[in-house]
Amino acid sequence: MTSDVTPDLPAGLATSPPEAPTGPAVGSATKETLEDYTLRFAPRHYRKWSTGVVAVSALGGIAYLADFAIGANIGIAYGTTNALWGIAVFAVVIFLTGFPLAYYAARYNLDLDLITRGSGFGYYGSVVSNVIFATFTFIFFALEGSIMAQGLQLGLGVPLWAGYAVSTLIIFPLVIYGMKVLSTLQLWTTPLWLVLMVIPFVYLLVSHPESVSSFFAYQGEDGAGAPNIGSVMLAAGVCLSLIAQIAEQIDYIRFMPPRTPENAGKWWRAVILAGPGWVIFGAIKQVIGLFLAVYIIANVTDGAAVANQPVHQFLEIYRDIMPAPVALGLAVVLVVISQVKINVTNAYSGSLAWTNSFTRVTKRYPGRLVFLAFNLLIALVLMEADMFSFLNTILGFYANLGMAWVVAVASDITFNKYVFKLSPRQAEFRRGMLYAVNPVGFGTLLVAGGLSIVCFFGGLGAGLQPFSPLVAIALALVLPPVIAFATKGRWYLRRTDDGITLPMYDDFGNPSDVMLDCHVCGQRYERPDMCACETHDAFVCSLCLSTDRTGEHVLPEQERTVAIG
């Protein structure tokens, strides 16, 4: 249910949706962030999509072909058996860690950076995790862009260097307008993408059933792919570099409608499917990528040289089904659609991550488009440096940082918020309400990420080197409750009172839709985005607090008189 507004509420209260920003007093930051509530809580009046539309839009972002390349690479390196077990480890870890994050995002309508702030990292401490996520977006943008460039070279004869530039520039105009355009793009392109992706796999199963036994017997390029726990963990480590994908899923999931008794079933199905459920589709794609690679190695002349390139994987199978020109055209279409579907999400999410970090540190909002261009430029440099040729190494290294961050947040939500009640259960992200740095999550990231990277490079001995993913996971899982107990939850909340007497949530526990005026930017926002102002008898929105360079609007630290629980 929505909140009722009575006439005796404080001045500045409004009940109608916010109007489009107008007038000279409204800054460019306010205008841009209202496109899709960049850096903000996603308000109820804006979340008009059904649970199904949000879920399909979120899953559209996992249309990338990198999974095919990753599956092929780990299978070629470690053999089918080790690769399959590595993929299974990856799927279980991703699902278990992604569930609490997706639930929290859908319940409180926040992106993962805003969640991270109040889940053990602090207002400034989460900047580090933001940089980790931004790194994820340009690494995988570069990977997908490389695959698209390979398709353009094969189909149209475009040189790779030019293909890299095309695959980058084509994304920029599609990302300018945020969620509204992205959801439409994902909905319209998903059916064709599914058909083109499934055809080769089904064809091989039906027409070449012997390919299944060859697949399971494959021992890797050096023929030493016998079952081995070290190889399993090395394979899992490469796959687990995708753990930060949950942050991109959350960039869509935060727009879920409120959960009510009437829609609870649909709401939960959508959250699970589009949140942690993405890994089911990701794991399937990795297995298919390896399956196609093994077939190509065994049946195509010089197939080993191109077996890990998705465009060749699909092209070779299409050629068995249809005339060569049609096969080539469909392979290129599939590559382009896949690259565009995922890279609009990579570019969008990366621009949010960079902008969020820069705004908090400098108290300035330069505009999301500045960092959109910045993210694309880094990705282009990686492509031109041929990152595709050392894919396993770069992904295995990155996985340690990604796991340390995501698992730490998942552990804080699960154990500190719900089991031990050491962390405030309800979300908090506003400046003034949080301490600058919380040792629970920030300390966990430094220890778990640092030690796992040392392990990855052999610093803890050759015997432990393959197990760096387990080091990151175990430490990130255990340390948050340990540190929270040691600090008695002291560093979560700087204040327990935001100065507003209106309830934050409605009768169903959903964030309130009551509107309040921000006296700084002159716009109206829903209750969860607002705080009382320290120097005025008025309210101020979260972004105006973030860009307050003098700190005059920020509420002072409050002496703790009540427990967090």
Side-chain angles (χ1 to χ4, degrees):
M1 63 179 287
T2 59
S3 303
D4 295 324
V5 179
T6 57
D8 59 345
L9 292 176
L13 190 64
T15 59
S16 58
E19 300 169 357
T22 58
V26 180
S28 60
T30 301
K31 293 180 181 179
E32 186 176 282
T33 60
L34 290 183
E35 289 286 353
D36 54 1
Y37 290 84
T38 306
L39 318 188
R40 294 183 182 272
F41 157 79
R44 188 181 306 194
H45 83 269
Y46 186 82
R47 292 180 277 117
K48 299 300 184 182
W49 295 278
S50 68
T51 57
V53 169
V54 173
V56 172
S57 298
L59 289 173
I62 65 165
Y64 50 82
L65 296 180
D67 272 327
F68 294 90
I70 289 172
N73 275 316
I74 62 175
I76 291 171
Y78 308 116
T80 294
T81 300
N82 293 317
L84 291 179
W85 278 111
I87 291 170
V89 171
F90 146 77
V92 171
V93 171
I94 296 288
F95 191 92
L96 292 179
T97 57
F99 178 81
L101 303 182
Y103 165 75
Y104 217 64
R107 188 62 168 152
Y108 297 108
N109 311 113
L110 304 175
D111 67 23
L112 190 49
D113 172 66
L114 301 188
I115 292 172
T116 299
R117 295 183 193 180
S119 298
F121 281 74
Y123 183 75
Y124 290 109
S126 67
V127 170
V128 176
S129 65
N130 236 23
V131 173
I132 292 174
F133 176 52
T135 303
F136 169 86
T137 64
F138 65 65
I139 287 175
F140 280 89
F141 188 105
L143 176 54
E144 288 298 318
S146 297
I147 294 172
M148 179 174 174
Q150 293 166 3
L152 294 177
Q153 182 186 48
L154 185 65
L156 304 176
V158 177
L160 279 178
W161 66 267
Y164 297 148
V166 170
S167 65
T168 302
L169 294 175
I170 195 175
I171 298 300
F172 192 91
L174 297 175
V175 184
I176 291 176
Y177 297 105
M179 176 65 178
K180 290 181 179 179
V181 172
L182 296 188
S183 62
T184 302
L185 173 69
Q186 301 294 12
L187 286 171
W188 282 96
T189 55
T190 293
L192 177 60
W193 171 80
L194 279 172
V195 171
L196 292 176
M197 185 190 74
V198 168
I199 286 175
F201 182 63
V202 173
Y203 167 76
L204 289 182
L205 290 179
V206 174
S207 301
H208 298 275
E210 73 283 357
S211 61
V212 176
S213 57
S214 299
F215 168 68
F216 284 109
Y218 181 63
Q219 295 292 299
E221 61 182 350
D222 59 3
N228 177 276
I229 186 62
S231 296
V232 169
M233 293 313 304
L234 287 170
V238 174
C239 298
L240 283 166
S241 62
L242 293 166
I243 195 167
Q245 176 63 34
I246 189 63
E248 295 196 351
Q249 301 303 113
I250 283 173
D251 278 340
Y252 291 94
I253 293 174
R254 66 190 176 114
F255 294 108
M256 286 288 290
R259 190 185 76 190
T260 64
E262 290 75 24
N263 74 349
K266 294 180 180 179
W267 190 92
W268 274 111
R269 285 192 293 272
V271 170
I272 293 173
L273 182 65
W278 80 264
V279 75
I280 298 172
F281 301 97
I284 290 172
K285 289 192 295 173
Q286 290 174 6
V287 173
I288 292 176
L290 175 55
F291 182 77
L292 298 180
V294 171
Y295 177 82
I296 291 172
I297 291 171
N299 295 279
V300 176
T301 304
D302 297 324
V306 297
N308 67 337
Q309 298 180 19
V311 63
H312 282 281
Q313 292 177 349
F314 286 94
L315 175 60
E316 296 300 335
I317 312 304
Y318 285 153
R319 280 175 173 169
D320 286 351
I321 307 173
M322 59 194 72
V326 178
L328 181 59
L330 287 181
V332 172
V333 168
L334 174 61
V335 167
V336 171
I337 289 178
S338 299
Q339 190 269 347
V340 169
K341 282 173 72 66
I342 181 55
N343 269 354
V344 292
T345 301
N346 280 329
Y348 172 65
S349 296
S351 67
L352 293 185
W354 286 120
T355 306
N356 205 326
S357 298
F358 186 88
T359 300
R360 265 179 293 163
V361 172
T362 67
K363 311 297 188 300
R364 294 180 180 275
Y365 182 86
R368 183 169 62 84
L369 297 187
V370 172
F371 284 102
L372 172 59
F374 176 70
N375 217 41
L376 297 187
L377 178 61
I378 296 177
L380 180 58
V381 170
L382 282 177
M383 284 186 273
E384 298 291 356
D386 190 24
M387 68 160 287
F388 200 85
S389 63
F390 49 96
L391 182 63
N392 278 10
T393 301
I394 193 170
L395 295 185
F397 167 78
Y398 176 81
N400 295 283
L401 289 175
M403 284 184 290
W405 164 42
V406 172
V407 176
V409 177
S411 176
D412 188 84
I413 292 174
T414 303
F415 298 112
N416 293 349
K417 292 185 184 300
Y418 286 89
V419 177
F420 302 123
K421 296 180 173 56
L422 295 165
S423 171
R425 178 173 294 188
Q426 294 169 331
E428 184 54 78
F429 64 95
R430 297 164 294 176
R431 182 184 177 191
M433 301 300 294
L434 298 167
Y435 284 102
V437 176
N438 187 338
V440 172
F442 189 77
T444 295
L445 174 61
L446 294 182
V447 175
L451 283 179
S452 63
I453 288 174
V454 170
C455 183
F456 176 78
F457 286 109
L460 300 181
L464 282 178
Q465 189 170 12
F467 300 96
S468 66
L470 289 183
V471 172
I473 293 170
L475 288 174
L477 190 67
V478 171
L479 285 179
V482 169
I483 299 175
F485 270 115
T487 59
K488 299 180 180 179
R490 169 71 177 82
W491 299 102
Y492 281 99
L493 291 181
R494 185 171 175 267
R495 295 183 59 88
T496 56
D497 175 16
D498 62 6
I500 303 176
T501 58
L502 297 170
M504 182 77 81
Y505 302 96
D506 67 18
D507 292 347
F508 298 130
N510 299 302
S512 169
D513 63 352
V514 171
M515 308 297 297
L516 300 172
D517 293 315
C518 173
H519 82 99
V520 177
C521 65
Q523 296 302 298
R524 286 174 287 175
Y525 304 97
E526 290 182 5
R527 166 72 175 88
D529 199 59
M530 307 292 283
C531 274
C533 180
E534 168 62 11
T535 53
H536 300 80
D537 183 17
F539 308 115
V540 59
C541 72
S542 62
L543 184 63
C544 288
L545 284 173
S546 293
T547 54
D548 178 8
R549 304 186 70 188
T550 65
E552 64 177 308
H553 304 302
V554 181
L555 293 170
E557 184 173 352
Q558 181 182 34
E559 184 177 348
R560 290 159 57 97
T561 57
V562 294
I564 282 178

